[in-house]
Amino acid sequence: MRLAGKVALVTGSARGIGKAIVERFAAEGAAVVISDVANEAAARETLAAIESAGGKGMVAMFDVGDAAQVDSAVAGILAAQGRIDILVNNAGITRDNLLLRMSEEDFDAVVRTNLKGTFLLTKVVSRHMIKQRSGRIVNMSSVVGMMGNAGQSNYSAAKAGIAGFTKSMARELGSRGVTVNAIAPGFIQTAMTAGLPEAVQKAFLQQIPLGRFAAPEEVAELALFLASDAAGYVTGQVIGINGGLYM
Ligand code: NAD
């Protein structure tokens, strides 16, 4: 029970990597806030499964890119749970296109959810963690933010932005007992990657030394380490989990 007594808020956790993270955290004793902008029924199903296994938590539906929604959702979570010990900024979207065909709207949408959402949540939750003098923040970057990818200039910019944001936050919050790290996943099998053309998937696979894609549960294991007491001296890091795709 590595997270006993902790409250963890994970954005974008109705499915995919976020869902695997709330399930893993709940199994380690955390009260989990399953939060998303869509798929409320799936979020409630996940909560029911966690509760029937003896865990606890709540569902909070809000858009991470909307400051007013973020502020009122976090206030509601604090009223219900009393504290937030762990924040995982996991919500993310892609709108892929080559630069010449990329609309301003698709660029803004990706930066808004991935990068601005991380900023908005961190701003309001860290205020509370500073008062608590403890906290763990884990941001979801991407291997693409480190190595780039044709067709993902908006996404790679947002994910590289998250890496820089993570390091600045680690410097601002370290003296208050709050650690801030990022995870940079490679190719993880979720709905986000299932839509990629088979040729693109094959091309990626050929570049991965471990010769396979990863399951969301493998990313959840790294998130658990970073959220736990075991990672007390780890901050400002961007940790790759990519099968060797980028080193
Ligand atoms: P996913 O699409 O399966 O899940 C993302 C979740 O975020 C969805 O439930 C979606 O509804 C939610 N979401 C989207 N916009 C939101 C908003 N504005 N507010 C709140 N929630 C919102 O994706 P995934 O593969 O599980 O990815 C999770 C995170 O990991 C993302 O940040 C993604 O960029 C990152 N990532 C994924 C991979 C991969 O290979 N799957 C690789 C690197 C990084």
Side-chain angles (χ1 to χ4, degrees), residues 11-19 21 35-39 60-66 69 89-94 109 112-114 117-118 121 139-144 155 159 162 183-194 196 214 216 219 241:
T11 65
S13 49
R15 70 179 198 190
I17 294 169
K19 178 180 183 223
I21 291 173
S35 90
D36 211 295
V37 74
N39 312 315
M61 300 300 293
F62 63 94
D63 177 353
V64 298
D66 182 314
Q69 286 188 40
N89 285 307
N90 168 78
I93 59 165
T94 53
R112 178 183 182 276
T113 297
N114 290 277
T118 298
L121 264 301
N139 299 324
M140 208 55 75
S141 181
S142 168
V143 69
V144 166
Y155 184 75
K159 293 304 195 185
I162 287 175
I183 295 176
F187 200 115
I188 316 300
Q189 283 176 307
T190 67
M192 185 179 272
T193 47
L196 289 174
V219 181
I241 174 162

Side-chain angles (χ1 to χ4, degrees), residues 215-239:
E217 289 72 21
E218 297 182 89
V219 181
E221 211 59 52
L222 178 54
L224 170 61
F225 169 69
L226 291 172
S228 74
D229 291 343
Y233 202 56
V234 182
T235 198
Q237 304 304 304
V238 181
I239 303 181

Side-chain angles (χ1 to χ4, degrees), residues 126-146:
S126 68
R127 186 176 302 144
H128 162 76
M129 288 176 169
I130 287 168
K131 281 192 205 134
Q132 247 174 216
R133 299 199 76 78
S134 73
R136 293 273 188 273
I137 300 175
V138 179
N139 299 324
M140 208 55 75
S141 181
S142 168
V143 69
V144 166
M146 314 293 120

Side-chain angles (χ1 to χ4, degrees), residues 18-62:
K19 178 180 183 223
I21 291 173
V22 289
E23 288 172 341
R24 191 70 187 91
F25 283 12
E28 292 289 340
V32 290
V33 182
I34 305 169
S35 90
D36 211 295
V37 74
N39 312 315
E40 182 170 0
R44 297 215 172 272
E45 256 176 53
T46 303
L47 178 61
I50 285 170
E51 285 174 341
S52 70
K56 51 188 186 300
M58 64 184 278
V59 169
M61 300 300 293
F62 63 94

